[in-house]
């Protein structure tokens, strides 16, 4: 039992390490911008219900964890709980906890993704259009949200092919995720991009290594960064379809189009 407990504890501790009190954050300049973002409201549950027992079970491990979703699990006798981009399964009596993907062997499908996609979609939909940097064709067939960094190689490669994505009917809507943290030169450059009069040009220049004049303004970079953490982002670029499905990292234009077409066909068949 010890190895399993350690694995679970480590996963939860990773989230816990990202949680600081206001006093701690105020003493830590590297997290000052992050601390300014609004706190995540905890889910409310009715005492005595399986949902409440699941919530109490998770919070008994770490009371600082922000729970995004509690719903009926695909397996009887369990609730599915989404915490920081992970799907956790808690028995209805609150005694047992399972961590990991739930795979349907007959359908050959990861059932964990349904709840995770629902959470991702809901979180991304909260981002106003005015905060996004959009590269889109006139009549897009598909729209994806991309958490991007100006320094990572695959983010730059994706942007070099932006015209090819657009030609295939794919609109790209960028959100900021400075992977080196909010107190990095990377983050300051992304603030300058989002504060530029022409954000599209500034982002293109930044990804190409060209100079972007330093600027400051009321900007969404810290909010986007925390949103990425809540979704469970571990690397950039993170590409999300409109239904919240997460793509497997960078994908060439033709491969991304094929996957988006497949998602749309499956959604239509399920209606």
């Amino acid at each position: 039992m010890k190895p399993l407990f350690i694995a679970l504890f480590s996963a939860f501790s990773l989230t816990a390490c990202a949680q600081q009190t206001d006093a701690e954050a105020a003493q830590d300049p590297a997290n000052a911008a992050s601390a300014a973002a609004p706190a995540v409201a905890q889910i409310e549950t009715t005492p005595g219900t399986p949902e409440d027992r699941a919530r109490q079970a998770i919070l008994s491990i770490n009371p600082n964890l922000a729970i995004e979703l509690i719903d009926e699990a695909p397996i009887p006798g369990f609730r599915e709980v989404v915490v920081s981009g992970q799907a956790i399964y808690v028995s209805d009596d609150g005694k047992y906890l399972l961590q990991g993907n739930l795979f349907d062997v007959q359908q050959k499908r990861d059932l964990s993704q349904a709840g995770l996609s629902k959470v991702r979609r809901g979180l991304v939909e909260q981002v106003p259009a005015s905060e996004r940097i959009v590269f889109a064709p006139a009549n897009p067939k598909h729209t994806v949200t991309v958490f991007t960094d100006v320094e990572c190689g695959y983010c730059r490669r994706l942007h070099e092919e932006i015209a090819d994505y657009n030609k295939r009917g794919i609109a790209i809507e960028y959100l900021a995720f400075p992977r080196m943290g909010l107190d990095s030169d990377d983050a300051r450059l992304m603030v300058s991009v989002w504060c530029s009069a022409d954000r599209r040009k500034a982002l293109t220049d930044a990804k190409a290594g060209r100079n972007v004049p330093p600027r400051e303004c009321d900007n969404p970079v810290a909010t986007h960064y925390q949103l990425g953490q809540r979704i469970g982002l571990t690397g950039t670029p993170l590409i999300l379809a409109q239904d919240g499905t997460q793509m497997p990292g960078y994908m060439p234009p033709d491969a991304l189009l094929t996957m988006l077409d497949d998602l749309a066909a499956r959604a239509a068949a399920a209606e």
Side-chain angles (χ1 to χ4, degrees):
M1 291 298 296
K2 186 175 180 180
L4 176 59
F5 174 79
I6 291 174
L8 290 171
F9 180 78
S10 299
F12 284 121
S13 296
L14 180 62
T15 303
C17 289
Q19 306 291 331
Q20 290 183 302
T21 64
D22 292 340
E24 290 171 332
Q27 296 173 12
D28 187 354
N31 290 290
S34 177
V40 178
Q42 286 287 0
I43 284 179
E44 295 184 1
T45 52
T46 302
T49 62
E51 288 76 16
D52 188 63
R53 287 190 285 269
R55 184 176 72 89
Q56 295 297 338
I58 295 294
L59 295 181
S60 71
I61 296 173
N62 187 325
N64 296 317
L65 292 172
I67 298 172
E68 303 286 358
L69 174 73
I70 303 177
D71 206 346
E72 187 174 350
I75 47 177
F78 280 80
R79 302 293 109 173
E80 182 178 68
V81 184
V82 176
V83 180
S84 299
Q86 298 182 59
I88 310 295
Y89 300 95
V90 182
S91 60
D92 286 348
D93 59 9
K95 290 180 61 178
Y96 303 103
L97 183 151
L98 300 173
Q99 182 183 19
N101 292 354
L102 183 62
F103 195 78
D104 187 313
V105 176
Q106 290 186 336
Q107 297 185 30
K108 295 181 174 54
R109 179 165 79 89
D110 184 353
L111 301 180
S112 306
Q113 291 305 311
L116 293 173
S117 294
K118 180 179 179 180
V119 168
R120 296 186 200 111
R121 182 178 68 249
L123 291 174
V124 169
E125 286 176 348
Q126 297 175 21
V127 180
S130 60
E131 291 187 0
R132 305 165 186 249
I133 299 179
V134 180
F135 291 79
N139 297 294
K141 181 180 181 182
H142 302 290
T143 299
V144 296
T145 298
V146 178
F147 283 84
T148 193
D149 178 87
V150 293
E151 298 291 344
C152 83
Y154 279 110
C155 296
R156 291 186 168 192
R157 181 173 175 182
L158 186 154
H159 195 69
E160 287 171 356
E161 299 174 294
I162 200 75
D164 294 323
Y165 290 104
N166 288 171
K167 286 178 182 177
R168 287 157 178 78
I170 302 172
I172 306 289
E173 298 190 350
Y174 283 120
L175 302 184
F177 193 86
R179 58 183 180 154
M180 301 305 292
L182 291 172
D183 195 46
S184 63
D185 290 339
D186 186 22
R188 284 184 278 274
L189 177 55
M190 298 194 80
V191 167
S192 296
V193 167
W194 255 262
C195 290
S196 297
D198 187 342
R199 291 176 175 176
R200 286 162 48 101
K201 181 180 184 304
L203 184 63
T204 299
D205 287 344
K207 286 178 178 287
R210 295 189 288 268
N211 180 61
V212 175
R215 293 183 175 87
E216 292 185 5
C217 67
D218 184 14
N219 68 85
V221 172
T223 302
H224 291 182
Y225 181 79
Q226 287 210 337
L227 180 63
Q229 291 181 318
R230 289 175 65 185
I231 286 173
L233 189 155
T234 57
T236 52
L238 173 67
I239 305 174
L240 298 178
Q242 284 179 288
D243 68 349
T245 298
Q246 180 176 333
M247 304 293 111
Y250 162 81
M251 300 183 71
D254 285 333
L256 181 58
L257 177 61
T258 297
M259 192 164 188
L260 292 172
D261 284 344
D262 288 346
L263 282 174
R266 287 203 296 270
E271 292 179 354

